[in-house]
Amino acid sequence: MLVLPRELEYVVGMDWGHLEPGCLLWTACLPEHRLHVIREWKFKETVDEDIASGFLSRTKDLGVHVRYVAADPSMWIRDGRNAHRGQSRAETLIRAGMPLR
């Protein structure tokens, strides 16, 4: 089992999915530009707030500080799915505590 120091930088990659599975990958940034995936979470038909909550709880369980979440560019499209809020999925997730880029 690989034990990684908490002092490393950690980032998350996110591929959006609702009807098709979406995925979050927690990744440790190792020396010499190497990356090591430490956790994966696949989700399907999950509302934005539950994704943010799942991200926060899984990150806490790992005991790491995530610098940012590199997210699917389509998440910034205001597609009308949440017209009463007037914001994109990315904006919803950011407001719920995910550090999206």
Side-chain angles (χ1 to χ4, degrees):
M1 180 174 147
L2 179 63
V3 178
L4 299 171
R6 291 184 182 195
E7 299 79 36
L8 290 175
E9 184 171 83
Y10 293 86
V11 296
V12 173
M14 180 176 189
D15 184 29
W16 174 251
H18 183 72
L19 296 177
E20 296 297 325
C23 183
L24 287 167
L25 296 173
W26 284 257
T27 307
C29 302
L30 302 174
E32 299 179 16
H33 307 288
R34 294 179 299 139
L35 300 173
H36 180 74
V37 174
I38 59 172
R39 185 156 193 182
E40 175 186 61
W41 175 39
K42 290 186 179 180
F43 52 88
K44 184 176 179 183
E45 297 180 10
T46 307
V47 297
D48 301 341
E49 292 82 1
D50 290 345
I51 292 169
S53 175
F55 162 80
L56 293 170
S57 67
R58 286 166 175 81
T59 299
K60 183 179 178 182
D61 289 346
L62 288 169
V64 299
H65 171 73
V66 172
R67 184 168 175 209
Y68 62 86
V69 177
D72 183 338
S74 69
M75 293 174 57
W76 274 265
I77 297 170
R78 291 184 177 168
D79 59 7
R81 63 146 190 108
N82 233 341
H84 69 281
R85 282 193 271 185
Q87 61 191 23
S88 67
R89 283 188 162 81
E91 291 168 314
T92 301
L93 295 172
I94 290 167
R95 289 175 194 258
M98 289 181 72
L100 264 60
R101 285 191 182 177

